[in-house]
Amino acid sequence: AQPSTKPTQSSMGRDLVARAGVALDEARDTLPGDARAEATRKAAVLRNAAEMHQALCGPRPADSRSATR
């Protein structure tokens, strides 16, 4: 089998995306008001962090480990 050359997201990038999704789900489940606004802000901050991480670090080639061997 040939190694994949499709770019992959780093574990930190995947973690930030997952945390943003969880935070957004929590915000949706919160009653309207200050708590919901804060939960929505938290989700937005996490999503922005994921996007910044992607922009600064970029995707890694899936076969980057085998290319250095």
Side-chain angles (χ1 to χ4, degrees):
Q2 193 172 13
S4 173
T5 57
K6 181 180 176 187
T8 61
Q9 196 171 40
S10 70
S11 62
M12 179 181 279
R14 286 189 304 272
D15 182 53
L16 287 168
V17 169
R19 290 175 60 192
V22 169
L24 187 58
D25 288 343
E26 289 174 359
R28 288 181 181 144
D29 292 341
T30 304
L31 294 175
D34 290 341
R36 185 177 196 163
E38 182 60 31
T40 302
R41 277 192 291 273
K42 177 182 175 182
V45 166
L46 287 166
R47 183 65 194 157
N48 287 340
E51 289 175 4
M52 290 295 292
H53 179 75
Q54 174 70 21
L56 295 173
C57 299
R60 308 179 298 183
D63 62 343
S64 63
R65 288 178 278 169
S66 62
T68 59
R69 290 183 184 167

